[in-house]
Amino acid sequence: MLFFWIFYPFIMMSASHFIVKRWSLLQRYQLRTSDIATPLLYIGLHYLSLQVFSVSVIPYMIMIVSMIGIIVAVVQARIYGDIHYKFYFKMFWRFTFLVSLLIYIFLIVYGLIRLLYAF
C-alpha cells in the first residue's frame, strides 16, 4: 500500500492541474495547482502517517500551520508595517503547501527505509 502513496502526489497534482486549467481558475481567481492540491495533500498525509507511524500527523500539522500563520503575519507586519490580508492568505496557503509536501516526502522516505530494513 505504501507504493500507492508514493504515486499519490503525482496523481493529486495532475488532477489539481486539470481542475485549474479546465475551469480557468488561474485567470479568474489567481488560484494555482498547489492551492487546489493542499487539502488533497492533507488527506494523503493522514493515511500515509497512519500506515507509517500508526498515528495521524494531522494534529501536528495543525500546530505547524498555526506557527506558519503567526510567522507570516509577523514578517508581513515587520516588512510592510501592516498586514495585507489578500497577500497574507495567499502567502500563508502556499507556505502551508510547501511544508506539507516536505513532510509528505519525509514520510515516504522514512516508510521506504523502514520497509527496506524490515527485510
Side-chain angles (χ1 to χ4, degrees):
M1 188 68 175
L2 181 65
F3 293 109
F4 169 76
W5 296 113
I6 291 172
F7 295 109
Y8 179 75
F10 300 111
I11 297 167
M12 173 199 56
M13 292 298 282
S14 298
S16 298
H17 183 71
F18 174 76
I19 291 169
V20 168
K21 289 292 185 188
R22 172 76 171 100
W23 285 288
S24 305
L25 297 179
L26 181 61
Q27 290 80 15
R28 287 187 196 169
Y29 305 110
Q30 306 303 319
L31 288 176
R32 299 192 185 283
T33 302
S34 60
D35 299 333
I36 303 296
T38 303
L40 300 173
L41 189 61
Y42 281 127
I43 294 168
L45 274 170
H46 172 70
Y47 288 112
L48 179 63
S49 65
L50 284 177
Q51 187 174 3
V52 172
F53 293 129
S54 301
V55 175
S56 178
V57 295
I58 296 299
Y60 303 107
M61 286 301 299
I62 291 171
M63 288 189 292
I64 291 170
V65 166
S66 299
M67 287 189 285
I68 290 172
I70 292 169
I71 291 168
V72 168
V74 167
V75 167
Q76 270 195 3
R78 192 80 138 139
I79 291 175
Y80 301 114
D82 195 14
I83 297 174
H84 305 280
Y85 290 106
K86 183 178 179 183
F87 183 61
Y88 167 79
F89 286 117
K90 189 179 286 188
M91 182 184 239
F92 164 73
W93 195 249
R94 294 196 177 143
F95 271 123
T96 301
F97 171 76
L98 181 64
V99 169
S100 301
L101 188 63
L102 291 174
I103 291 172
Y104 193 91
I105 291 169
F106 168 76
L107 284 173
I108 287 175
V109 169
Y110 182 78
L112 285 174
I113 290 172
R114 269 184 61 185
L115 188 65
L116 289 175
Y117 280 116
F119 289 116

